[in-house]
Amino acid sequence: MKNKHILVGVTGSIAAFKACTLVSALTKKGYDVRVILTHHAAAFITPLSLAAVSHNDVYIDEFDGTNEAMIPHIALAKWADLFIVAPADANVLAKAACGIADDLLTSCILASTCPMAAAPAMNVHMYENIATQTNLNTLKERGWKIIEPESGLLACADTGKGRLAEPEHIVDFIEKILSEQEENALSLAGKTVLVSAGPTQEALDPVRFLSNHSSGKQGFAIAAAAAKAGAKVLLAAGPVSLPTPEGVERIDYVSARDLEKIMIENAPKADFIIMAAAVADYRFETTADQKIKKSGDSMTLTLVRNPDILAGLGKTKRDDQILCGFAMETENLDENARAKLIAKNCDLLIANNLRTEGAGFQGDTNIVTLLKPEGSEHLPLMSKEDLGRVILNTMLEMQKGKTDHASVH
Ligand code: PMT
């Protein structure tokens, strides 16, 4: 925990001087702390003081930093495990809520994907203003953690809520967020995840094929999430143009029968198997060696059934393995998906509806229903990688449940 990176944004408030105590306390606890000051904050506190207590450079402008190739707002956003704005004035809260990025601090806020927090400090009337309260609520809805200001006599001589929380309370608040983060972190160390992604192509001749609109994004996002969580990941990738996620072993396929071979060969090594690929149920009865020439006004092509790969995996899965299928539906989502869950002997099935905006093929988001034998859960719109984490977490819980059950009997 102590080697965590904490980024502290300091805005222009009389309470900015308390940032020194905060940064010093965090550094003494062993955290690696970096500070971004706004120009207004630099009128209250010097960068030198904060550099001295953080033992790091302090950033004010977009082009600060010792490394000239570094783009500070991106590099700092990537570096941070937690980003707290303390003190956060009304202005920065409003900009963060609106996505305005007109200086280093707000650009860095917009570029950050780590947990975000703020310790507001301002005049009581500014704090109670409906605009500030609305902005705070917006940020909370997006997952920001807010440590409430304290009440008392304010620097402006008004009395009320608006005084920055004491630095030691902010330190406790930060440590609570970090330990919650640690508890919730998905760890798949020692697990092997086999995931399929993308469409299949069933050749008619060397020029034409039967396929679908899958881009591979959903399966690739699951593979990326699994690799980030420390799993060994085998990705059966269809004919798509996506780069291989870091730390993932990719095995390319074209047709459903190619994919079947890969899945059968690798399934015994896997703890978790996820079929996110959009597999053609049928292929052409014959594939011509040469391009088929046109003749006559119509043409009849015969299709034959492809193997049902997921159902095959459902028949051979071991008790300790968790099998997850997907279902792409255009009507009666819950009913059709539940029938697939049972027929294919899956532990988990992820149903998405092609007709729902933000769900299914090609986009970066999905909206799904997660079906288990004992019930189902509708999930809100989320990125395909966030969904990957939810699926993997669910599979991990299911596997733990099976192991606990087995050890009781
Ligand atoms: O790739 P993206 O553009 O990101 O889009 C993601 C997605 C929409 C492709 C993905 O979210 C998804 O829904 N994948 C499954 C699509 C599908 O084939 O659904 P299905 O209802 O036809 O099949 C049910 C399950 O059986 C699937 O897990 C499928 O992989 C599997 N199947 C289907 C047919 C077959 N012959 N063999 C199979 O294993």
Side-chain angles (χ1 to χ4, degrees), residues 196-200 212-222 240 242 256 259 263 274-282 305-313 324-329 336-337 340 344 346 349-354 359-366 368 384 387:
S196 68
T200 55
N212 59 63
H213 298 291
S214 170
S215 63
K217 282 185 180 175
Q218 182 60 79
F220 274 60
I222 297 169
V240 297
L242 298 174
L259 174 59
M263 297 306 285
I274 304 163
M275 280 293 293
V279 185
D281 286 317
Y282 292 89
R305 279 297 287 266
N306 261 333
D308 190 323
I309 306 167
L310 183 60
L313 294 166
C324 170
F326 268 74
M328 164 54 84
E329 304 296 339
N336 292 343
K340 285 180 187 170
K344 301 188 188 216
C346 295
L349 197 113
I350 312 299
N352 40 202
N353 189 336
L354 187 60
F361 289 137
Q362 295 184 353
D364 293 320
T365 58
N366 214 342
V368 304
K384 285 186 172 171
L387 175 59

Side-chain angles (χ1 to χ4, degrees), residues 18 120-122 148-154 160-166:
K18 289 190 187 171
M122 64 199 76
E148 299 274 313
E150 293 172 7
S151 293
L153 181 64
L154 305 173
K161 204 167 176 183
R163 216 165 58 187
L164 181 70
E166 287 306 320

Side-chain angles (χ1 to χ4, degrees), residues 109-396:
I109 289 173
L110 201 59
S112 291
T113 54
C114 65
M116 301 295 297
M122 64 199 76
N123 167 273
V124 57
H125 303 301
M126 292 171 85
Y127 181 70
E128 286 175 354
N129 191 298
I130 184 76
T132 303
Q133 290 304 314
T134 306
N135 292 330
L136 279 167
N137 284 336
T138 303
L139 295 174
K140 282 184 200 164
E141 275 163 22
R142 291 184 198 147
W144 282 54
K145 304 276 190 223
I146 308 292
I147 179 165
E148 299 274 313
E150 293 172 7
S151 293
L153 181 64
L154 305 173
C156 49
D158 280 339
T159 304
K161 204 167 176 183
R163 216 165 58 187
L164 181 70
E166 287 306 320
E168 67 264 30
H169 296 162
I170 303 179
V171 172
D172 291 347
F173 168 75
I174 288 173
E175 296 208 297
K176 189 159 170 269
I177 300 173
L178 288 173
S179 59
E180 278 171 7
Q181 206 186 330
E182 197 94 332
E183 277 163 26
N184 296 336
L186 174 65
S187 171
L188 296 176
K191 303 281 178 207
T192 300
V193 176
L194 173 61
V195 49
S196 68
T200 55
Q201 287 181 358
E202 308 298 332
L204 172 62
D205 66 16
V207 180
R208 302 152 179 125
F209 56 81
L210 178 69
S211 191
N212 59 63
H213 298 291
S214 170
S215 63
K217 282 185 180 175
Q218 182 60 79
F220 274 60
I222 297 169
K228 283 182 194 162
K232 175 176 169 55
V233 187
L234 304 169
L235 171 65
V240 297
S241 54
L242 298 174
T244 310
E246 210 177 303
V248 167
E249 188 181 326
R250 175 176 182 157
I251 314 163
D252 289 317
Y253 70 82
V254 176
S255 70
R257 284 185 297 171
D258 297 340
L259 174 59
E260 186 190 33
K261 256 189 234 151
I262 296 170
M263 297 306 285
I264 291 176
E265 198 176 309
N266 291 287
K269 304 173 203 163
D271 296 284
F272 302 154
I273 306 170
I274 304 163
M275 280 293 293
V279 185
D281 286 317
Y282 292 89
R283 66 179 185 277
F284 296 107
E285 186 175 38
T286 53
T287 301
D289 290 337
Q290 304 299 333
K291 182 180 173 194
I292 298 172
K293 302 276 178 217
K294 56 177 171 287
S295 62
D297 285 342
S298 66
M299 185 181 198
T300 303
L301 296 166
T302 305
L303 296 174
V304 294
R305 279 297 287 266
N306 261 333
D308 190 323
I309 306 167
L310 183 60
L313 294 166
K315 284 192 184 122
T316 56
K317 78 174 160 128
R318 297 188 309 265
D319 279 352
D320 62 314
Q321 289 180 313
I322 306 292
L323 179 63
C324 170
F326 268 74
M328 164 54 84
E329 304 296 339
T330 54
E331 56 180 356
N332 304 330
L333 181 93
D334 288 28
E335 207 180 308
N336 292 343
R338 185 150 293 278
K340 285 180 187 170
L341 173 82
I342 295 162
K344 301 188 188 216
N345 194 28
C346 295
D347 298 286
L348 182 65
L349 197 113
I350 312 299
N352 40 202
N353 189 336
L354 187 60
R355 307 234 189 269
T356 307
E357 199 173 327
F361 289 137
Q362 295 184 353
D364 293 320
T365 58
N366 214 342
I367 303 174
V368 304
T369 303
L370 199 142
L371 294 102
K372 298 179 194 171
E374 66 275 17
S376 52
E377 188 186 349
H378 297 282
L379 299 180
L381 175 84
M382 62 180 80
S383 73
K384 285 186 172 171
E385 191 160 332
D386 281 348
L387 175 59
R389 270 188 289 276
V390 172
I391 294 170
L392 291 161
N393 210 4
T394 308
M395 295 177 88
L396 193 62

